[in-house]
Amino acid sequence: MTSTLEPAVSTEPDWIACRACRTMVYRKRYERLQRVCPDCGHHSGLSADDRLRLLLDPGFEPIPVAPTVHDPLAFTDHRPYADRLAAARAGRGDDDAVRVVRGTMRGSPLVVAVMDFGFLGGSLGVAAGEAITTAAETALAERLPLLIVTASGGARMQEGTLSLMQMAKTSNAMAALDEAGLLTVTLVTDPTYGGVAASFATLADVVVAEPAARMGFAGPRVIEQTIRQRLPEGFQRAEFLLSHGLVDDVRPRAELAPTISLLLAATTPGDPEWGGDEVDPVRRRPEELAQRPVAEVVPLARHLDRPTLLDHVAAWAEGFVELHGDRAGEDCPALVGGVAMLDGLPVLVLGHQKGHSTAELVRRNFGMPGPAGYRKAARLMRLAAKLRLPVLALVDTPGAYPGVTAEEQGQAGAIAECLRLMGSLPVPVLSVVTGEGGSGGALALGVADQVLICANAIYSVISPEGCAAILWKDPAATARAADALRIDAESCLRLGVVDGVIPEPDGGAHTDPVRASDAIRSAVVATLRELRGIPGEQLVRERRDRFRRFGRWELPAAGAPAAVGHPGAVSPGGVGAERP
């Protein structure tokens, strides 16, 4: 493989120059930095051997790959393909462009397939396709995660349509891993193009890229010649892909093993006794709650210093890998999700993210997701179902974004898909309304086995301001509308739309964010502890039954107390019913 760093002076091999910025780098330092320029951060290419040594624990072992046809077309251009192949094998010491091994990464076992761009440009031919498929089949047989490190210019033209068929062959192998519930991860290195990008590389559950790595179906030169336009700066680079929701993350080389190993840890079952010592702080009866006027609750629910999803994750989790993108061209920063380790238990965390500063609020659209946010949430829910991860949703949004672009991109359908999917997940699902629970934008993350709400949070079909404008036609009626809507935690508990209330510090969560966050963590652990013991089919059945009952009048059982409060209150079973 041609390195992106070259000897500065042939008589002084200890010093090399970065081809990106021309900075002189001491060779030993360059090797310690894993061939990354210390000045500009340029990531030089690595051979398959170097890549495996970088990522895996010592002691990995090769997995044999069955022989494939040799020079099926007897192809010749300026040189016979057989000669090119023989030269590549002699130069790289491998039979083809993919090395397959079995090993461990920070103690977690996995199968790895590494592509070597130095072998005929990492092109996808029959031998490379066989190697990728062998890696997938080995992972399937041994019930192990699969990591694929990509580096390719595309299909190997000298093998004709047989090389084209490898795209379908490898994609089918990836589908079998999906069906078996096994984690797949792609590490995109520079470059990854053509048939590789359009098959197994982008079919993984998680796609991580090195900085500035290029990936796409068509190369930039082909695109420019076709459309006769100059491409934008950074086109098809990793950072461009991240901003367009096409990869989950971009990580420098030194962070790759820690990031991927946390994902691998998510595939191991947690301790059956997990959370056994946690004290549940949740109040589950309305009479246990201190009442506060609704007009006072609304500003507390919206206070900018209330802890956000990312604040909670930073306080609770031993590790968190945020996963980005809807895989359809966009990443919505108003909705955040990823895999976290909560007291050693892998959990899929997702939810709304507002922010504390004006700049962050604007960047995250004030916590109002567009369709891309809900498509991202649906993608992560499917990942949780596949890997059998509990889902924790933290709700804090004024509502889904009501803009023109959101309607053009299918906001209603994206929310509807989340509602349907969340109700069908065969894993524990817990939702916590931590601030604002605004309309369908909140409910899209609220179809859970248990729904909790913080003491000074609100949950509503519409904002008080919107209700006042529509029904009273008077902005001054906002407080009256808030009271009439019964959006406070106590009312939500009486209506049965939440199962419990998490206490807050007396002045609100913003007065002591650490204590407020710790109370939510305790409630989450205690609730998930109970849900983890319930079989998946039962979870789905009871979750659907829970929502089926809303709005129906149910007479209390013999000897049970009658419904409490106003006529719209619930019986202790909680159905949010009004007597017909």
Side-chain angles (χ1 to χ4, degrees):
M1 183 186 306
T2 302
S3 172
T4 56
L5 293 169
E6 59 183 5
V9 180
S10 58
T11 57
E12 296 180 1
D14 287 343
W15 290 89
I16 53 179
C18 173
R19 283 186 175 174
C21 68
R22 305 310 301 172
T23 298
M24 301 298 295
V25 185
Y26 187 52
R27 183 182 296 275
K28 289 185 178 179
R29 184 188 183 198
Y30 160 60
E31 296 294 343
R32 285 197 304 272
L33 293 174
Q34 301 168 354
R35 301 189 182 184
V36 177
C37 175
D39 270 33
C40 71
H42 184 80
H43 283 54
S44 176
L46 295 176
S47 68
D49 278 340
D50 290 336
R51 183 69 66 178
L52 290 168
R53 283 193 292 266
L54 167 69
L55 293 173
L56 299 185
D57 304 329
F60 54 85
E61 58 184 36
I63 295 173
V65 177
T68 54
V69 296
H70 177 80
D71 192 16
L73 306 183
F75 190 96
T76 299
D77 46 24
H78 300 293
R79 182 183 181 188
Y81 170 56
D83 292 350
R84 291 184 187 275
L85 192 59
R89 287 172 172 170
R92 305 304 289 185
D94 280 321
D95 287 339
D96 210 86
V98 179
R99 180 89 62 84
V100 183
V101 304
R102 179 191 295 105
T104 61
M105 183 183 296
R106 301 199 168 190
S108 295
L110 74 164
V111 174
V112 185
V114 180
M115 306 191 76
D116 187 344
F117 190 77
F119 194 107
L120 296 180
S123 50
L124 178 62
V126 293
E130 182 67 21
I132 295 292
T133 304
T134 297
E137 290 174 344
T138 303
L140 181 63
E142 300 181 13
R143 305 292 302 176
L144 293 175
L146 172 65
L147 169 64
I148 302 176
V149 184
T150 62
S152 176
R156 191 169 298 177
M157 293 176 287
Q158 297 93 332
E159 295 183 6
T161 52
L162 283 181
S163 99
L164 182 67
M165 295 303 109
Q166 304 310 305
M167 295 171 62
K169 174 179 173 178
T170 55
S171 297
N172 288 339
M174 296 291 281
L177 294 177
D178 288 336
E179 294 159 5
L182 296 172
L183 175 68
T184 55
V185 179
T186 294
L187 170 56
V188 177
T189 72
D190 189 53
T192 297
Y193 277 115
V196 170
S199 60
F200 58 87
T202 48
L203 291 177
D205 298 315
V206 179
V207 181
V208 181
E210 286 192 329
R214 293 166 291 173
M215 182 171 72
F217 181 56
R221 183 169 57 184
V222 172
I223 296 172
E224 286 188 330
Q225 289 175 351
T226 301
I227 67 175
R228 301 186 182 280
Q229 295 178 14
R230 186 167 183 81
L231 299 175
E233 189 69 25
F235 181 74
Q236 293 184 327
R237 295 283 182 181
E239 297 73 16
F240 172 93
L241 300 171
L242 182 64
S243 68
H244 286 78
L246 302 175
V247 299
D248 285 285
D249 208 354
V250 177
R251 293 288 179 122
R253 194 164 284 168
E255 296 180 13
L256 291 173
T259 299
I260 297 171
S261 63
L262 191 147
L263 294 170
L264 297 176
T267 65
T268 58
D271 182 354
E273 303 301 319
W274 178 85
D277 297 331
E278 198 66 51
V279 176
D280 188 357
V282 176
R283 304 289 183 263
R284 299 186 182 271
R285 298 187 66 84
E287 57 268 25
E288 298 176 332
L289 304 176
Q291 295 190 22
R292 186 191 298 269
V294 180
E296 295 181 13
V297 173
V298 173
L300 293 178
R302 296 171 173 172
H303 201 287
L304 289 183
D305 291 332
R306 288 181 76 86
T308 66
L309 179 148
L310 291 177
D311 295 330
H312 293 310
V313 168
W316 306 342
E318 298 92 0
F320 177 62
V321 177
E322 184 176 350
L323 304 177
H324 295 266
D326 65 350
R327 292 291 190 274
E330 191 175 348
D331 180 49
C332 176
L335 200 145
V336 170
V339 176
M341 298 299 293
L342 178 58
D343 292 350
L345 178 73
V347 177
L348 193 289
V349 180
L350 57 88
H352 308 92
Q353 175 68 21
K354 290 182 179 177
H356 300 296
S357 67
T358 300
E360 187 179 9
L361 285 166
V362 171
R363 183 171 71 84
R364 295 190 182 275
N365 203 29
F366 297 86
M368 295 186 293
Y374 293 108
R375 287 195 294 265
K376 173 167 63 175
R379 182 174 74 86
L380 298 186
M381 290 179 200
R382 293 187 186 97
L383 177 61
K386 175 182 175 180
L387 301 181
R388 316 301 287 185
L389 300 179
V391 173
L392 169 62
L394 301 182
V395 175
D396 186 14
T397 180
Y401 178 57
V404 173
T405 56
E407 293 300 318
E408 290 174 341
Q409 296 169 12
Q411 182 75 290
I415 291 172
E417 177 60 21
C418 281
L419 297 175
R420 176 172 61 179
L421 179 60
M422 202 170 198
S424 306
L425 296 176
V427 295
V429 181
L430 169 62
S431 293
V432 182
V433 182
T434 61
E436 288 186 274
S439 192
L443 183 61
L445 302 186
V447 186
D449 302 302
Q450 289 275 304
V451 180
L452 306 179
I453 188 170
C454 292
N456 292 308
I458 57 177
Y459 202 1
S460 178
V461 66
I462 190 173
S463 70
E465 294 83 358
C467 181
I470 294 171
L471 298 183
W472 276 268
K473 297 180 174 56
D474 182 4
T478 295
R480 185 178 174 188
D483 187 62
L485 287 168
R486 302 184 186 277
I487 62 178
D488 59 298
E490 185 206 13
S491 296
C492 288
L493 184 58
R494 288 187 181 277
L495 287 168
V497 296
V498 302
D499 301 284
V501 177
I502 304 172
E504 292 187 23
D506 290 340
H510 65 283
T511 63
D512 192 344
V514 173
R515 187 154 63 97
S517 183
D518 189 59
I520 298 174
R521 188 203 67 82
S522 294
V524 166
V525 172
T527 306
L528 286 181
R529 175 187 65 208
E530 301 302 323
L531 293 174
R532 288 183 70 221
I534 303 174
E537 290 183 1
Q538 182 180 342
L539 286 169
V540 173
R541 182 175 64 253
E542 292 181 354
R543 190 183 310 141
R544 289 175 174 171
D545 287 346
R546 179 184 188 275
F547 286 88
R548 174 67 179 87
R549 293 194 303 270
F550 285 126
R552 295 179 62 186
W553 176 260
E554 292 184 2
L555 293 175
V564 294
H566 61 283
V570 299
S571 66
V575 292
E578 286 195 22
R579 190 180 185 116

